[in-house]
Short mmCIF file of all heavy atoms in Angstrom, two decimals:
data_model
loop_
_atom_site.label_atom_id
_atom_site.label_comp_id
_atom_site.label_asym_id
_atom_site.label_seq_id
_atom_site.Cartn_x
_atom_site.Cartn_y
_atom_site.Cartn_z
N MET A 245 250.63 143.19 199.79
CA MET A 245 250.76 142.33 198.59
C MET A 245 249.59 141.41 198.56
O MET A 245 249.47 140.59 199.39
CB MET A 245 252.00 141.58 198.69
CG MET A 245 253.34 142.30 198.94
SD MET A 245 254.45 142.75 197.62
CE MET A 245 254.64 141.30 196.68
N ASN A 246 248.77 141.66 197.60
CA ASN A 246 247.57 140.74 197.41
C ASN A 246 247.84 139.91 196.24
O ASN A 246 247.40 140.20 195.14
CB ASN A 246 246.41 141.70 197.16
CG ASN A 246 245.14 140.82 197.23
OD1 ASN A 246 245.13 139.67 197.72
ND2 ASN A 246 244.03 141.57 197.01
N ARG A 247 248.45 138.65 196.45
CA ARG A 247 248.67 137.85 195.37
C ARG A 247 248.25 136.38 195.90
O ARG A 247 248.29 136.12 197.02
CB ARG A 247 250.13 137.89 194.98
CG ARG A 247 251.11 137.45 195.99
CD ARG A 247 252.57 137.60 195.44
NE ARG A 247 253.43 137.27 196.70
CZ ARG A 247 254.72 137.42 196.52
NH1 ARG A 247 255.29 137.86 195.52
NH2 ARG A 247 255.52 137.10 197.70
N PRO A 248 247.99 135.47 194.98
CA PRO A 248 247.60 134.13 195.38
C PRO A 248 248.65 133.35 195.91
O PRO A 248 249.93 133.68 195.66
CB PRO A 248 247.06 133.46 194.08
CG PRO A 248 247.66 134.30 192.90
CD PRO A 248 247.92 135.65 193.52
N PRO A 249 248.40 132.30 196.70
CA PRO A 249 249.49 131.49 197.26
C PRO A 249 250.22 130.61 196.08
O PRO A 249 249.62 130.65 194.95
CB PRO A 249 248.77 130.48 198.12
CG PRO A 249 247.36 130.49 197.73
CD PRO A 249 247.03 131.83 197.08
N PRO A 250 251.41 130.23 196.29
CA PRO A 250 252.10 129.56 195.32
C PRO A 250 251.50 128.27 194.87
O PRO A 250 250.81 127.67 195.72
CB PRO A 250 253.47 129.29 196.01
CG PRO A 250 253.28 129.44 197.47
CD PRO A 250 252.16 130.49 197.58
N TYR A 251 251.68 127.89 193.67
CA TYR A 251 251.10 126.51 193.29
C TYR A 251 251.87 125.28 193.71
O TYR A 251 253.13 125.29 193.60
CB TYR A 251 250.96 126.60 191.78
CG TYR A 251 250.52 125.28 191.20
CD1 TYR A 251 249.18 124.85 191.25
CD2 TYR A 251 251.35 124.44 190.59
CE1 TYR A 251 248.80 123.74 190.74
CE2 TYR A 251 250.95 123.15 189.94
CZ TYR A 251 249.72 122.85 190.08
OH TYR A 251 249.27 121.69 189.60
N PHE A 252 251.18 124.40 194.33
CA PHE A 252 251.87 123.11 194.64
C PHE A 252 251.14 122.01 193.84
O PHE A 252 249.91 121.91 194.04
CB PHE A 252 251.68 122.90 196.23
CG PHE A 252 252.49 123.81 196.95
CD1 PHE A 252 251.84 124.86 197.71
CD2 PHE A 252 253.94 123.77 197.07
CE1 PHE A 252 252.47 125.82 198.41
CE2 PHE A 252 254.58 124.62 197.80
CZ PHE A 252 253.97 125.72 198.58
N PRO A 253 251.86 121.17 193.10
CA PRO A 253 251.23 120.14 192.42
C PRO A 253 250.45 119.17 193.33
O PRO A 253 251.00 118.83 194.36
CB PRO A 253 252.38 119.49 191.62
CG PRO A 253 253.63 120.16 192.06
CD PRO A 253 253.30 121.27 192.95
N GLN A 254 249.26 118.73 192.89
CA GLN A 254 248.45 117.92 193.77
C GLN A 254 248.75 116.45 193.37
O GLN A 254 248.40 115.52 194.22
CB GLN A 254 247.05 118.19 193.50
CG GLN A 254 246.57 119.54 193.96
CD GLN A 254 246.76 119.85 195.34
OE1 GLN A 254 246.40 118.98 196.27
NE2 GLN A 254 247.34 120.98 195.75
N ASN A 255 249.37 116.05 192.29
CA ASN A 255 249.65 114.68 191.99
C ASN A 255 251.07 114.34 192.45
O ASN A 255 251.94 115.20 192.54
CB ASN A 255 249.50 114.36 190.51
CG ASN A 255 250.35 115.41 189.62
OD1 ASN A 255 250.91 116.20 190.17
ND2 ASN A 255 250.38 115.05 188.42
N GLN A 256 251.32 113.03 192.58
CA GLN A 256 252.57 112.61 192.98
C GLN A 256 253.58 112.63 191.73
O GLN A 256 253.15 112.50 190.70
CB GLN A 256 252.54 111.13 193.50
CG GLN A 256 251.71 110.91 194.71
CD GLN A 256 251.77 109.46 195.18
OE1 GLN A 256 251.97 108.66 194.41
NE2 GLN A 256 251.21 109.24 196.44
N LEU A 257 254.84 112.80 192.12
CA LEU A 257 255.88 112.94 191.02
C LEU A 257 256.15 111.49 190.52
O LEU A 257 256.43 111.25 189.38
CB LEU A 257 257.09 113.54 191.58
CG LEU A 257 256.85 115.07 191.94
CD1 LEU A 257 258.24 115.60 192.49
CD2 LEU A 257 256.42 115.82 190.84
N SER A 258 256.11 110.45 191.54
CA SER A 258 256.29 109.09 191.05
C SER A 258 255.14 108.37 191.10
O SER A 258 254.22 108.61 191.85
CB SER A 258 257.34 108.46 192.10
OG SER A 258 256.77 108.48 193.36
N PRO A 259 255.00 107.32 190.17
CA PRO A 259 253.77 106.57 190.18
C PRO A 259 253.61 105.77 191.37
O PRO A 259 254.56 105.44 192.12
CB PRO A 259 253.92 105.69 188.90
CG PRO A 259 255.36 105.64 188.76
CD PRO A 259 255.95 106.91 189.21
N PRO A 260 252.21 105.40 191.83
CA PRO A 260 252.10 104.76 193.11
C PRO A 260 252.61 103.33 193.00
O PRO A 260 252.60 102.63 191.90
CB PRO A 260 250.56 104.74 193.21
CG PRO A 260 249.99 104.96 191.95
CD PRO A 260 251.11 105.83 191.17
N ASP A 261 253.03 102.82 194.12
CA ASP A 261 253.57 101.40 194.13
C ASP A 261 252.61 100.43 194.49
O ASP A 261 251.93 100.50 195.59
CB ASP A 261 254.78 101.33 195.24
CG ASP A 261 255.58 100.09 195.18
OD1 ASP A 261 255.44 99.29 194.32
OD2 ASP A 261 256.19 99.87 196.22
N GLU A 262 252.30 99.63 193.63
CA GLU A 262 251.24 98.53 193.70
C GLU A 262 251.57 97.58 194.86
O GLU A 262 250.61 97.14 195.57
CB GLU A 262 250.94 97.79 192.42
CG GLU A 262 250.42 98.69 191.32
CD GLU A 262 249.01 99.20 191.66
OE1 GLU A 262 248.22 98.43 192.37
OE2 GLU A 262 248.73 100.22 191.18
N LYS A 263 252.79 97.31 195.10
CA LYS A 263 253.15 96.33 196.11
C LYS A 263 252.88 96.92 197.50
O LYS A 263 252.58 96.16 198.41
CB LYS A 263 254.68 95.85 196.01
CG LYS A 263 254.94 95.06 194.86
CD LYS A 263 256.46 94.60 194.78
CE LYS A 263 256.71 93.83 193.53
NZ LYS A 263 258.17 93.39 193.48
N ARG A 264 253.00 98.18 197.60
CA ARG A 264 252.88 98.83 198.98
C ARG A 264 251.39 98.63 199.43
O ARG A 264 251.14 98.35 200.42
CB ARG A 264 253.28 100.27 198.83
CG ARG A 264 253.22 101.02 200.26
CD ARG A 264 253.55 102.34 200.14
NE ARG A 264 252.43 103.18 199.79
CZ ARG A 264 252.41 104.56 199.46
NH1 ARG A 264 253.57 105.15 199.56
NH2 ARG A 264 251.30 105.11 199.15
N TYR A 265 250.46 98.87 198.37
CA TYR A 265 249.07 98.88 198.81
C TYR A 265 248.68 97.38 199.03
O TYR A 265 247.89 97.06 199.83
CB TYR A 265 248.22 99.37 197.63
CG TYR A 265 248.40 100.80 197.43
CD1 TYR A 265 248.87 101.40 196.18
CD2 TYR A 265 248.25 101.75 198.51
CE1 TYR A 265 249.10 102.61 195.99
CE2 TYR A 265 248.37 103.03 198.26
CZ TYR A 265 248.91 103.65 197.03
OH TYR A 265 249.06 104.89 196.93
N ARG A 266 249.19 96.40 198.30
CA ARG A 266 248.93 95.03 198.53
C ARG A 266 249.40 94.59 199.89
O ARG A 266 248.74 93.92 200.63
CB ARG A 266 249.52 94.19 197.42
CG ARG A 266 249.26 92.66 197.53
CD ARG A 266 249.71 91.92 196.25
NE ARG A 266 249.30 90.58 196.29
CZ ARG A 266 250.11 89.61 196.36
NH1 ARG A 266 251.45 89.78 196.33
NH2 ARG A 266 249.75 88.37 196.41
N ARG A 267 250.73 94.99 200.13
CA ARG A 267 251.17 94.67 201.48
C ARG A 267 250.42 95.27 202.63
O ARG A 267 250.09 94.57 203.60
CB ARG A 267 252.71 95.15 201.60
CG ARG A 267 253.52 94.59 202.74
CD ARG A 267 254.88 95.03 202.73
NE ARG A 267 255.45 95.26 201.34
CZ ARG A 267 256.20 96.39 201.01
NH1 ARG A 267 256.35 97.31 201.76
NH2 ARG A 267 256.68 96.40 199.73
N PHE A 268 249.93 96.51 202.44
CA PHE A 268 249.08 97.09 203.51
C PHE A 268 247.73 96.38 203.67
O PHE A 268 247.37 96.16 204.70
CB PHE A 268 248.82 98.57 203.15
CG PHE A 268 247.78 99.21 203.99
CD1 PHE A 268 248.14 99.56 205.30
CD2 PHE A 268 246.56 99.48 203.53
CE1 PHE A 268 247.14 100.21 206.02
CE2 PHE A 268 245.57 100.05 204.34
CZ PHE A 268 246.00 100.41 205.63
N LYS A 269 247.06 95.88 202.53
CA LYS A 269 245.90 95.19 202.65
C LYS A 269 246.09 93.83 203.38
O LYS A 269 245.21 93.41 204.23
CB LYS A 269 245.33 94.94 201.29
CG LYS A 269 244.66 96.21 200.65
CD LYS A 269 243.83 95.98 199.43
CE LYS A 269 244.71 95.55 198.28
NZ LYS A 269 243.91 95.30 197.06
N ILE A 270 247.17 93.22 203.07
CA ILE A 270 247.44 91.98 203.69
C ILE A 270 247.68 92.17 205.19
O ILE A 270 247.16 91.43 206.03
CB ILE A 270 248.71 91.19 203.07
CG1 ILE A 270 248.33 90.76 201.69
CG2 ILE A 270 249.10 90.11 204.02
CD1 ILE A 270 249.42 90.21 200.78
N LEU A 271 248.54 93.19 205.59
CA LEU A 271 248.78 93.42 206.97
C LEU A 271 247.47 93.84 207.79
O LEU A 271 247.23 93.41 208.82
CB LEU A 271 249.95 94.47 207.18
CG LEU A 271 251.25 93.98 206.80
CD1 LEU A 271 252.26 95.18 206.91
CD2 LEU A 271 251.68 92.90 207.69
N ALA A 272 246.71 94.65 207.14
CA ALA A 272 245.41 95.05 207.77
C ALA A 272 244.51 93.98 207.86
O ALA A 272 243.86 93.71 208.99
CB ALA A 272 244.78 96.12 206.88
N GLY A 273 244.44 92.98 206.96
CA GLY A 273 243.63 91.74 207.08
C GLY A 273 244.04 90.91 208.24
O GLY A 273 243.32 90.34 209.03
N LEU A 274 245.37 90.69 208.31
CA LEU A 274 245.93 89.99 209.38
C LEU A 274 245.66 90.45 210.74
O LEU A 274 245.43 89.82 211.66
CB LEU A 274 247.43 89.69 209.14
CG LEU A 274 247.82 88.71 208.00
CD1 LEU A 274 249.38 88.68 207.84
CD2 LEU A 274 247.30 87.36 208.31
N ALA A 275 245.83 91.89 210.86
CA ALA A 275 245.63 92.53 212.17
C ALA A 275 244.11 92.41 212.52
O ALA A 275 243.75 92.12 213.76
CB ALA A 275 245.98 93.97 211.96
N ILE A 276 243.21 92.57 211.59
CA ILE A 276 241.79 92.40 211.81
C ILE A 276 241.46 90.93 212.27
O ILE A 276 240.74 90.69 213.19
CB ILE A 276 240.84 92.80 210.68
CG1 ILE A 276 240.98 94.28 210.52
CG2 ILE A 276 239.44 92.29 210.86
CD1 ILE A 276 240.32 94.88 209.24
N ALA A 277 242.07 89.94 211.64
CA ALA A 277 241.81 88.58 211.90
C ALA A 277 242.37 88.33 213.40
O ALA A 277 241.76 87.58 214.12
CB ALA A 277 242.50 87.69 210.95
N ALA A 278 243.54 88.82 213.67
CA ALA A 278 244.08 88.54 215.03
C ALA A 278 243.22 89.20 216.09
O ALA A 278 243.02 88.67 217.16
CB ALA A 278 245.51 89.22 215.05
N LEU A 279 242.70 90.42 215.78
CA LEU A 279 241.80 91.12 216.70
C LEU A 279 240.60 90.24 216.95
O LEU A 279 240.12 90.14 218.12
CB LEU A 279 241.46 92.59 216.28
CG LEU A 279 240.63 93.36 217.09
CD1 LEU A 279 241.36 93.68 218.44
CD2 LEU A 279 240.29 94.69 216.46
N VAL A 280 240.01 89.84 215.85
CA VAL A 280 238.73 88.91 216.10
C VAL A 280 239.11 87.70 216.83
O VAL A 280 238.23 87.34 217.75
CB VAL A 280 238.18 88.55 214.64
CG1 VAL A 280 237.24 87.49 214.69
CG2 VAL A 280 237.66 89.80 213.97
N LEU A 281 240.18 87.04 216.69
CA LEU A 281 240.55 85.90 217.40
C LEU A 281 240.77 86.26 218.98
O LEU A 281 240.33 85.51 219.79
CB LEU A 281 241.82 85.28 216.96
CG LEU A 281 241.65 84.51 215.63
CD1 LEU A 281 242.93 83.96 215.02
CD2 LEU A 281 240.69 83.27 215.74
N VAL A 282 241.34 87.42 219.28
CA VAL A 282 241.54 87.81 220.60
C VAL A 282 240.26 88.09 221.20
O VAL A 282 239.94 87.64 222.34
CB VAL A 282 242.46 89.11 220.64
CG1 VAL A 282 242.40 89.64 222.04
CG2 VAL A 282 243.88 88.63 220.34
N LEU A 283 239.29 88.73 220.52
CA LEU A 283 237.97 88.99 221.06
C LEU A 283 237.18 87.72 221.30
O LEU A 283 236.47 87.53 222.34
CB LEU A 283 237.26 89.88 220.17
CG LEU A 283 237.67 91.32 220.08
CD1 LEU A 283 236.93 92.19 219.07
CD2 LEU A 283 237.55 92.03 221.54
N ILE A 284 237.37 86.65 220.38
CA ILE A 284 236.64 85.48 220.60
C ILE A 284 237.27 84.72 221.81
O ILE A 284 236.47 84.15 222.64
CB ILE A 284 236.73 84.57 219.39
CG1 ILE A 284 235.86 85.23 218.24
CG2 ILE A 284 236.36 83.15 219.64
CD1 ILE A 284 236.04 84.56 216.90
N GLY A 285 238.54 84.76 221.93
CA GLY A 285 239.24 84.17 223.04
C GLY A 285 238.85 84.78 224.44
O GLY A 285 238.56 84.11 225.44
N ALA A 286 238.73 86.06 224.36
CA ALA A 286 238.28 86.83 225.51
C ALA A 286 236.82 86.42 225.95
O ALA A 286 236.50 86.27 227.09
CB ALA A 286 238.44 88.29 225.46
N GLY A 287 236.07 86.35 224.92
CA GLY A 287 234.62 85.91 225.14
C GLY A 287 234.52 84.60 225.74
O GLY A 287 233.72 84.40 226.76
N TYR A 288 235.24 83.65 225.24
CA TYR A 288 235.27 82.21 225.80
C TYR A 288 235.75 82.27 227.19
O TYR A 288 235.25 81.55 228.11
CB TYR A 288 236.11 81.28 224.97
CG TYR A 288 235.35 80.74 223.86
CD1 TYR A 288 235.71 80.77 222.51
CD2 TYR A 288 234.20 79.90 224.13
CE1 TYR A 288 234.92 80.24 221.46
CE2 TYR A 288 233.43 79.29 223.01
CZ TYR A 288 233.88 79.48 221.71
OH TYR A 288 233.14 78.86 220.78
N GLY A 289 236.88 83.08 227.42
CA GLY A 289 237.38 83.18 228.88
C GLY A 289 236.41 83.60 229.82
O GLY A 289 236.19 83.17 230.89
N ILE A 290 235.72 84.67 229.43
CA ILE A 290 234.74 85.35 230.31
C ILE A 290 233.62 84.34 230.59
O ILE A 290 233.05 84.25 231.68
CB ILE A 290 234.22 86.72 229.70
CG1 ILE A 290 235.42 87.68 229.93
CG2 ILE A 290 233.06 87.13 230.47
CD1 ILE A 290 235.13 89.01 229.13
N PHE A 291 233.24 83.68 229.53
CA PHE A 291 232.09 82.74 229.63
C PHE A 291 232.46 81.70 230.63
O PHE A 291 231.60 81.39 231.53
CB PHE A 291 231.64 82.20 228.27
CG PHE A 291 230.83 80.98 228.23
CD1 PHE A 291 229.40 81.24 228.49
CD2 PHE A 291 231.21 79.76 228.07
CE1 PHE A 291 228.49 80.19 228.51
CE2 PHE A 291 230.30 78.74 228.19
CZ PHE A 291 228.91 78.93 228.31
N TYR A 292 233.63 80.98 230.46
CA TYR A 292 233.95 79.88 231.32
C TYR A 292 234.28 80.46 232.75
O TYR A 292 233.99 79.69 233.70
CB TYR A 292 235.19 79.25 230.74
CG TYR A 292 234.71 78.28 229.69
CD1 TYR A 292 235.23 78.49 228.38
CD2 TYR A 292 233.86 77.13 229.90
CE1 TYR A 292 234.78 77.62 227.40
CE2 TYR A 292 233.48 76.42 228.85
CZ TYR A 292 233.98 76.64 227.57
OH TYR A 292 233.52 75.67 226.55
N LEU A 293 234.70 81.73 232.87
CA LEU A 293 234.93 82.19 234.25
C LEU A 293 233.53 82.38 234.95
O LEU A 293 233.48 82.07 236.14
CB LEU A 293 235.59 83.59 234.17
CG LEU A 293 235.90 84.38 235.45
CD1 LEU A 293 236.91 83.50 236.28
CD2 LEU A 293 236.43 85.75 235.17
N ILE A 294 232.64 83.00 234.28
CA ILE A 294 231.32 83.11 234.92
C ILE A 294 230.67 81.78 235.15
O ILE A 294 230.07 81.56 236.16
CB ILE A 294 230.42 84.08 234.08
CG1 ILE A 294 231.02 85.43 233.90
CG2 ILE A 294 228.95 84.02 234.54
CD1 ILE A 294 230.20 86.37 232.99
N ARG A 295 230.88 80.75 234.21
CA ARG A 295 230.24 79.52 234.37
C ARG A 295 230.85 78.80 235.63
O ARG A 295 230.24 77.97 236.32
CB ARG A 295 230.48 78.76 233.17
CG ARG A 295 229.72 77.46 233.11
CD ARG A 295 229.79 76.91 231.63
NE ARG A 295 229.73 75.46 231.77
CZ ARG A 295 230.07 74.57 230.83
NH1 ARG A 295 230.47 75.05 229.64
NH2 ARG A 295 230.02 73.19 231.06
N SER A 296 232.13 79.05 235.88
CA SER A 296 232.83 78.37 237.00
C SER A 296 232.30 78.85 238.37
O SER A 296 232.36 78.11 239.34
CB SER A 296 234.24 78.57 236.95
OG SER A 296 234.66 79.92 237.22
N PHE A 297 231.74 80.08 238.42
CA PHE A 297 231.14 80.60 239.69
C PHE A 297 229.72 79.88 239.93
O PHE A 297 229.26 80.15 241.07
CB PHE A 297 231.08 82.07 239.65
CG PHE A 297 232.45 82.79 239.74
CD1 PHE A 297 232.76 83.76 238.85
CD2 PHE A 297 233.35 82.40 240.71
CE1 PHE A 297 234.07 84.30 238.94
CE2 PHE A 297 234.63 83.02 240.74
CZ PHE A 297 234.97 83.94 239.88
N MET A 298 229.05 79.54 238.94
CA MET A 298 227.72 78.92 239.12
C MET A 298 227.75 77.51 239.64
O MET A 298 228.50 76.68 239.37
CB MET A 298 226.90 79.06 237.87
CG MET A 298 226.66 80.59 237.57
SD MET A 298 225.63 80.61 236.07
CE MET A 298 225.60 82.35 235.95
#
């Protein structure tokens, strides 16, 4: 049987939810901000640890 595969619609059946994308952007921004603060804190901690040995 040499026939093409069945057709699957490429678009969503329901319209996209705007609140979902906004919530994702807010959560992603907060996660990035938290990661930056953790990295800054780790940098200060390492700096003062090395400074205490000198």
Side-chain angles (χ1 to χ4, degrees):
M245 308 259 313
N246 191 8
R247 59 183 179 189
Y251 173 73
F252 294 104
Q254 298 297 318
N255 57 351
Q256 294 180 347
L257 297 178
S258 61
D261 186 16
E262 292 296 327
K263 290 182 182 179
R264 189 178 84 185
Y265 297 120
R266 182 168 185 246
R267 196 177 323 135
F268 171 74
K269 286 192 290 187
I270 290 171
L271 287 176
L274 288 174
I276 290 171
L279 182 63
V280 167
L281 287 175
V282 166
L283 290 175
I284 289 172
Y288 273 120
I290 291 170
F291 172 75
Y292 284 114
L293 180 67
I294 291 172
R295 192 171 145 192
S296 68
F297 289 131
M298 293 182 174

